[in-house]
């Protein structure tokens, strides 16, 4: 069965297609760059995490998914659950583009849990072809806000169309999407990413008292425009501060900042929920949530223990670098979950505590020299799947080799992630830092996530270097040199277990 672009897809279509594609699944499952401890598409394409929540002790992770092809033309929501972020169940797709109002994609959205019910809000995407003159910015596109609910995260109520493109304010283009809910003082607020008719990005805020009827309330924008469109807004309180994470598109590179084609920034917002006055605390450069090559469209949620957890898409749209796995029928992954905090007014991100459960054997080093000789051993024995925690004192410069052609260097107050072979077009990304004190590095078969100085900065990236020793694909790479004192611990890591489940297994 062939799935066509711009056609509705039903659960039955998917199931028929699934039955016919066992061979593809097996081939993708054996592909050499498959990750050991990240969520990836079983076949095809993955992008934004959606609907993140904890419901009765179970974490639910949905994501934008196109099982049918690795270019991501169609968008469904795939559903995974976990209790510990190490053992997962993959329930397969749950929301299909099967209605007139979401026919060309069940686009991104979020979950809001109250009294044991999860309320989901997403964007139903529709592209119109009835006229030849659509620019698909001011006309030709339907961005419908849709609600469904569920008591178990797997079985859903009927889809309810809440708003269509015609319902948004008159000065807004037809790019409006990615609803995210915040409850404050007994009212519900929905943040929607938008592009206005002057091509400035902003957030539209709607208000509701029952999660069903929504009224336009206000908007959040920067005084100096930042890009033409803000995708995936995430508005939340963290340690008493109203925060906005969003993804502005079309922001030009500024020195060593905003190096990716699209951004993901953290903003502090001053807001009055009674009067509807909101202002972003203006900064010359907004804090990048991640400074690596592959990070976009993250979403956060508060779990039952009160932790704010964020997961991102370890990928980015429209980049000028590629993933070689596309030709093998799959690409992209989600990042590891991170916990967010505010410290001294700054965003701090640390890998979720549960990930320590992946740790197996460990090696510790006191001095850089012993690290060097151990580096040789690690190359042979460790494999690319490891975690390294390194501490530095008096660091004036350092160079850490992570793969053949991939290194992290610290020089003149700048941390640089460089890639040559294995980068597939990825070159250099930077972070300006006062001091280098700590690195925590998660290396998987084809990815790196690097937490700097306890989470002040993070670099997430895919990497496809042959990381082996003398051409063998068996070795990890960790070689440290520099003008500094260093100590560290390296852990061999186990992998996630992801069990494929069917809806009626529940
Ligand atoms: C961000 C995004 C969202 C949209 C979704 C579609 O990556 O463009 O704005 O809802 O992807 O898959």
């Amino acid at each position: 069965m062939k799935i066509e672009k711009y056609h509705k897809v039903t659960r039955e279509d998917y199931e028929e297609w699934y039955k016919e594609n066992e061979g593809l699944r097996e081939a993708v499952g054996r592909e050499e760059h498959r990750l050991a401890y990240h969520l990836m598409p079983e076949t095809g394409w993955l992008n934004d995490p959606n609907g993140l929540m904890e419901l009765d002790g179970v974490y639910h992770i949905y994501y934008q998914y196109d099982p049918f092809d690795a270019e991501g033309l169609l968008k469904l929501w795939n559903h995974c659950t976990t209790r510990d972020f190490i053992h997962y169940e993959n329930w397969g797709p749950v929301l299909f583009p099967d209605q007139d109002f979401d026919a060309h994609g069940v686009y991104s959205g979020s979950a809001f849990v109250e009294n044991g019910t999860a309320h989901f809000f997403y964007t139903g995407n529709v592209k119109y072809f009835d006229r030849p003159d659509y620019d698909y910015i001011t006309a030709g596109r339907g961005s419908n806000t849709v609600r469904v609910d569920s008591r178990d995260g797997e079985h859903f109520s009927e889809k309810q169309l809440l708003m269509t493109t015609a319902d948004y304010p008159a000065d807004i283009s037809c790019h409006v999407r990615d609803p995210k809910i915040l409850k404050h003082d007994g009212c519900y607020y929905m943040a929607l990413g938008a592009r206005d008719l002057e091509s400035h990005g902003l957030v539209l805020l709607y208000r509701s008292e029952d999660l069903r009827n929504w009224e336009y309330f206000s908007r959040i924008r920067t005084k100096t425009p930042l890009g033409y469109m803000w995708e995936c807004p995430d508005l939340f309180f963290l340690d008493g501060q109203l925060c906005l994470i969003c993804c502005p598109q079309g922001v030009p590179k500024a020195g060593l900042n905003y190096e990716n084609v699209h951004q993901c920034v953290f903003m502090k917002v001053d807001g009055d929920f009674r009067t509807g006055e909101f202002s972003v605390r203006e900064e010359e450069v907004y804090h990048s949530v991640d400074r690596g090559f592959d990070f976009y469209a993250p979403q956060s949620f508060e779990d039952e223990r009160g932790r704010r957890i964020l997961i991102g898409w370890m990928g980015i749209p429209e980049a000028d670098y590629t993933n070689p796995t596309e030709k093998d029928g799959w690409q992209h992954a989600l990042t590891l979950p991170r916990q967010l905090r505010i410290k001294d007014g700054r965003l701090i991100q640390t890998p979720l505590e549960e990930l320590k459960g992946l740790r197996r054997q460990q090696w510790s080093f006191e001095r850089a020299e012993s690290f060097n000789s151990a580096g040789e051993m690690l190359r042979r024995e460790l494999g690319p799947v490891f975690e390294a925690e390194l501490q530095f004192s008096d660091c004036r410069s350092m160079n850490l080799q992570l793969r053949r052609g991939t290194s992290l260097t610290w020089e003149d107050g700048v941390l640089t992630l460089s890639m040559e072979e294995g980068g597939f077009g990825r070159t250099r990304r930077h972070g300006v830092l006062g001091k280098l004190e700590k690195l925590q590095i998660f290396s998987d078969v084809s990815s790196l996530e690097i937490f700097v100085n306890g989470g002040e900065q993070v670099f997430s990236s895919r990497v496809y270097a042959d990381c082996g020793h003398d051409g063998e694909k068996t070795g990890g790479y960790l070689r440290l040199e520099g003008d500094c004192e260093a100590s560290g611990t390296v852990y061999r890591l186990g992998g996630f277990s992801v069990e494929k489940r069917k809806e009626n297994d529940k």
Side-chain angles (χ1 to χ4, degrees), residues 47-48 64 75 107-108 177-178 231-232 296-297 313:
N47 59 299
D48 316 356
Q64 291 282 285
K75 298 295 161 56
Y107 270 19
S108 283
R177 55 183 169 267
D178 312 333
E231 294 193 311
C232 301
Y296 196 67
W313 169 25

Side-chain angles (χ1 to χ4, degrees), residues 45-48 50 64-65 72 74-77 104-109 122-123 125 141 176-179 193 229-233 247 249 296-298 313 315-317:
W45 160 285
L46 162 161
N47 59 299
D48 316 356
N50 292 151
Q64 291 282 285
Y65 181 39
L74 277 170
K75 298 295 161 56
L76 285 53
W77 277 33
H104 304 145
V106 181
Y107 270 19
S108 283
Y122 70 84
T123 302
N125 180 57
R141 184 172 176 135
V176 176
R177 55 183 169 267
D178 312 333
M229 166 73 193
W230 290 5
E231 294 193 311
C232 301
C247 295
Q249 301 193 301
Y296 196 67
W313 169 25
I316 194 159

Side-chain angles (χ1 to χ4, degrees), residues 44-81:
W45 160 285
L46 162 161
N47 59 299
D48 316 356
N50 292 151
L52 303 181
M53 60 164 178
E54 185 179 8
L55 187 63
D56 301 328
V58 177
Y59 292 100
H60 294 257
I61 300 170
Y62 304 80
Y63 52 78
Q64 291 282 285
Y65 181 39
D66 184 344
F68 315 115
D69 85 352
E71 275 179 66
L73 300 174
L74 277 170
K75 298 295 161 56
L76 285 53
W77 277 33
N78 196 71
H79 181 209
C80 294
T81 51

Side-chain angles (χ1 to χ4, degrees), residues 289-310:
V289 177
D290 198 289
R291 307 186 75 89
F293 296 92
D294 298 275
F295 185 88
Y296 196 67
Q299 186 174 98
S300 75
F301 70 106
E302 194 180 282
D303 77 352
E304 289 169 357
R305 273 189 267 172
R307 299 182 295 179
R308 180 142 300 264
I309 299 172
L310 176 136

Side-chain angles (χ1 to χ4, degrees), residues 338-354:
R338 312 166 178 183
Q339 185 171 354
L340 306 185
R341 293 189 186 83
I342 302 281
K343 202 170 140 202
D344 303 326
R346 304 179 62 185
L347 178 69
I348 299 293
Q349 306 175 73
T350 49
L352 206 66
E353 189 68 17
E354 281 89 328

